[in-house]
Amino acid sequence: MENKSTNWGQFIPLASVFFFWGFVAASNDILIPVFKKEFNLSQFQSQLVATAFYIAYTVGSIIYMIVSSLLKVDLINKIGYKNGLILGLAISALGTLLFIPAANIGSFNLMISALFIVGLGFSLQQIVANPLAILVGPSSTGSQRLTMAGGINNFGTTIGPLIVTFAIFGSAASANTEASIESVKIPYLVLGAAFLLVALFLKFSSLPDTVIKEEEKADVPGSVNRKSAFSYPQLILGMIAIFLYVGVEVSTASNLPAYMQDNLGLLTKDIAPYISLYWASMMIGRWTGAVEAFDFRAGITKILRFLAPYLAFGVFLLVNFIADHDLAPFYIYALVILAMIVCDILSKGNPARMVLIFSLAGIVALLIGMFSTGMASVYAFTSVGLFCSTLWPCIFALAIKGLGRHTNQGSGFLIMMIMGGGIIAPLQGVIADKTSIHFSFIVGVLCFAYLAFYAIAVTGILKKQGIDLKDLKAEGGH
């Protein structure tokens, strides 16, 4: 029987897993310039940090499908959802242990192998956590809970770079500007211990170990009955869209440190607040979309949709204040947030319209960054986070709409496309090595251009299948 209201006692421990995904993903952006200098890497080679981490999601999904096929039963259904989460956390903890020998012998290959194993654990956690987030409350607000989980994920991305930078370099006021490979292993060992503690906490939590068995989904009335998920063009085009969305999200952040070092002359330790701002921008957008997960009156909801982004921005300012960073350069960003709010209003809650408007805004932001210099370009590049914030759930919803009994299969293929972060980022690195880091952001422009095309194309595809987009809400979480 479906929960009539969100079980916050179950949702909160689950949310800690979403937090870890963001914490590690954003912290990788601090490792990239450190590894680049210590191991004397090219920009392309440094982006292998992102490749190792994000390709692990796809490899993990493939391993999951192979194991399930060999067992002739879904692996998670066999071991239970709670145990699946615990296993995923244990695998990630194992990956953090590899930082000890990697740091001791100074091996870049072993370092990225450690991140790969952490990512493998995260892939299993992704498969488990998304349906659980829906289960712990009414299905009607499941997408909003996933958006809220995404906001918690981005809280991790906001503070991750700051904490890792502090662990490596010390406080912002410290004179230390150099990082040793030895200093990298400590924060990740602490993170591994946190993985194990949360796994222990989950073991004794009230999270359900199994999900209610759903009846086989029938084909959606008005849609076409087809043999597999690959028979639906909205899914095929949507898989490319997810690949490129994750790609532009990751590549913009992971190449930003090199841009700020090469063009603005900033030290690695001084870049952390701006990486934090980029990922905080994702949090700002997702907190806005999470408002509807709460049972507020319509008038209050409208007000909170305006206030939520600035509340999230306040969190960013607070954590940077605690980290002893100068806040003065960031106040002007409040005007950039206003642009995101305007785009959100113009979208009118329609996912296809939101993908189109936010993708066009992302193109404008990147072009401003490419054709400007100084802090104006930095704020333009960080604002990409604002315009990426809501794209995952919108693309996800459009891609699986009308798949009927093939919905679960289609969802699995979409999650595999997270590997885009591990391919687009080094691709931008190659272009940066051959041209300039400033020009290399053209990669993101091309990614957004496809997303705008997808928004238009999928609207026509769904209309031909007799599917009305008016009642479509964003689903899925990343």
Side-chain angles (χ1 to χ4, degrees):
M1 185 176 179
E2 178 183 87
N3 292 331
K4 294 183 178 180
S5 61
T6 299
N7 188 325
W8 296 108
Q10 294 178 346
F11 180 81
I12 290 173
L14 179 63
S16 64
V17 178
F18 285 83
F19 171 85
F20 284 142
W21 301 343
F23 186 99
V24 174
S27 298
N28 289 344
D29 297 330
I30 300 300
L31 292 184
I32 288 172
V34 172
F35 287 174
K36 182 180 180 181
K37 183 174 182 179
E38 289 297 304
F39 295 112
N40 193 27
L41 306 174
S42 67
Q43 185 63 12
F44 164 73
Q45 289 172 322
S46 70
Q47 295 303 306
L48 293 178
V49 171
T51 300
F53 183 70
Y54 286 98
I55 288 294
Y57 279 93
T58 298
V59 174
S61 297
I62 292 173
I63 292 173
Y64 175 81
M65 287 190 290
I66 291 174
V67 172
S68 295
S69 177
L70 292 174
L71 294 175
K72 296 183 179 180
V73 63
D74 184 89
L75 176 63
I76 297 303
N77 286 339
K78 184 174 180 64
I79 67 175
Y81 272 61
K82 185 190 293 187
N83 288 333
L85 268 182
I86 292 170
L87 177 60
L89 286 163
I91 293 171
S92 295
L94 178 63
T96 63
L97 288 177
L98 279 183
F99 276 92
I100 297 176
N104 289 341
I105 66 176
S107 171
F108 175 66
N109 290 334
L110 198 52
M111 285 281 187
I112 60 176
S113 296
L115 286 173
F116 177 80
I117 294 175
V118 172
L120 282 180
F122 283 3
S123 70
L124 181 58
Q125 294 166 38
Q126 277 266 11
I127 293 170
V128 175
N130 286 295
L132 273 182
I134 294 173
L135 180 68
V136 297
S139 59
S140 59
T141 56
S143 62
Q144 285 78 17
R145 277 191 301 281
L146 286 171
T147 301
M148 182 187 300
I152 294 169
N153 172 284
N154 290 127
F155 178 64
T157 62
T158 301
I159 69 172
L162 301 175
I163 292 176
V164 171
T165 298
F166 177 82
I168 295 174
F169 296 101
S171 69
S174 170
N176 180 28
T177 61
E178 299 295 327
S180 68
I181 296 302
E182 282 286 326
S183 66
V184 170
K185 68 181 180 182
I186 301 302
Y188 283 86
L189 290 177
V190 173
L191 186 63
F195 288 156
L196 295 177
L197 284 174
V198 171
L200 184 63
F201 180 66
L202 288 173
K203 182 66 177 177
F204 297 101
S205 73
S206 61
L207 266 179
D209 199 36
T210 58
V211 296
I212 301 171
K213 185 175 181 181
E214 299 180 3
E215 296 180 2
E216 183 180 49
K217 293 182 175 68
D219 288 295
V220 177
S223 69
V224 182
N225 184 1
R226 302 178 182 180
K227 292 183 178 180
S228 75
F230 281 125
S231 301
Y232 295 84
Q234 63 265 40
L235 176 68
I236 301 299
L237 295 178
M239 289 172 66
I240 300 172
I242 288 289
F243 180 93
L244 295 176
Y245 151 69
V246 180
V248 66
E249 173 193 305
V250 173
S251 65
T252 302
S254 60
N255 284 280
L256 185 58
Y259 171 74
M260 297 185 70
Q261 288 175 320
D262 296 349
N263 291 53
L264 279 72
L266 269 69
L267 299 171
T268 301
K269 72 167 189 172
D270 297 325
I271 292 171
Y274 297 94
I275 298 299
S276 174
L277 177 61
Y278 177 86
W279 293 108
S281 296
M282 298 282 291
M283 177 175 68
I284 289 166
R286 287 174 173 174
W287 280 27
T288 305
V291 168
E292 293 183 11
F294 299 92
D295 190 20
F296 294 127
R297 294 196 304 270
I300 295 177
T301 298
K302 289 180 180 179
I303 294 173
L304 287 177
R305 288 188 71 84
F306 183 85
L307 293 180
Y310 288 104
L311 176 62
F313 184 51
V315 171
F316 161 77
L317 294 175
L318 177 61
V319 296
N320 276 273
F321 173 77
I322 294 172
D324 200 25
H325 292 130
D326 181 15
L327 301 183
F330 301 112
Y331 295 136
I332 195 172
Y333 201 70
L335 296 178
V336 184
I337 295 172
L338 187 60
M340 185 275 295
I341 295 174
V342 171
C343 289
D344 184 60
I345 293 172
L346 291 175
S347 72
K348 298 179 180 179
N350 181 303
R353 184 193 296 264
M354 181 169 285
V355 172
L356 177 61
I357 292 174
F358 275 55
S359 296
L360 293 176
I363 291 174
V364 171
L366 285 172
L367 290 176
I368 291 174
M370 291 174 64
F371 289 99
S372 61
T373 57
M375 293 309 301
S377 63
V378 172
Y379 292 134
F381 289 140
T382 54
S383 72
V384 170
L386 290 172
F387 303 118
C388 279
S389 61
T390 60
L391 292 186
W392 169 280
C394 291
I395 297 169
F396 200 99
L398 292 166
I400 65 172
K401 187 63 178 178
L403 267 60
R405 68 178 186 274
H406 304 299
T407 297
N408 288 337
Q409 183 187 33
S411 299
F413 288 128
L414 289 171
I415 290 175
M416 289 177 64
M417 292 298 102
I418 292 175
M419 68 179 174
I423 295 176
I424 301 298
L427 174 62
Q428 184 173 344
V430 170
I431 293 176
D433 288 333
K434 294 185 179 298
T435 57
S436 70
I437 189 68
H438 208 165
F439 177 77
S440 71
F441 286 93
I442 190 67
V443 171
V445 173
L446 296 176
C447 290
F448 276 127
Y450 175 83
L451 296 179
F453 158 76
Y454 176 70
I456 297 171
V458 75
T459 300
I461 289 169
L462 294 178
K463 283 184 178 179
K464 285 183 180 179
Q465 295 179 11
I467 297 172
D468 190 352
L469 291 178
K470 291 181 180 179
D471 298 324
L472 182 59
K473 292 185 178 181
E475 299 176 35
H478 164 55

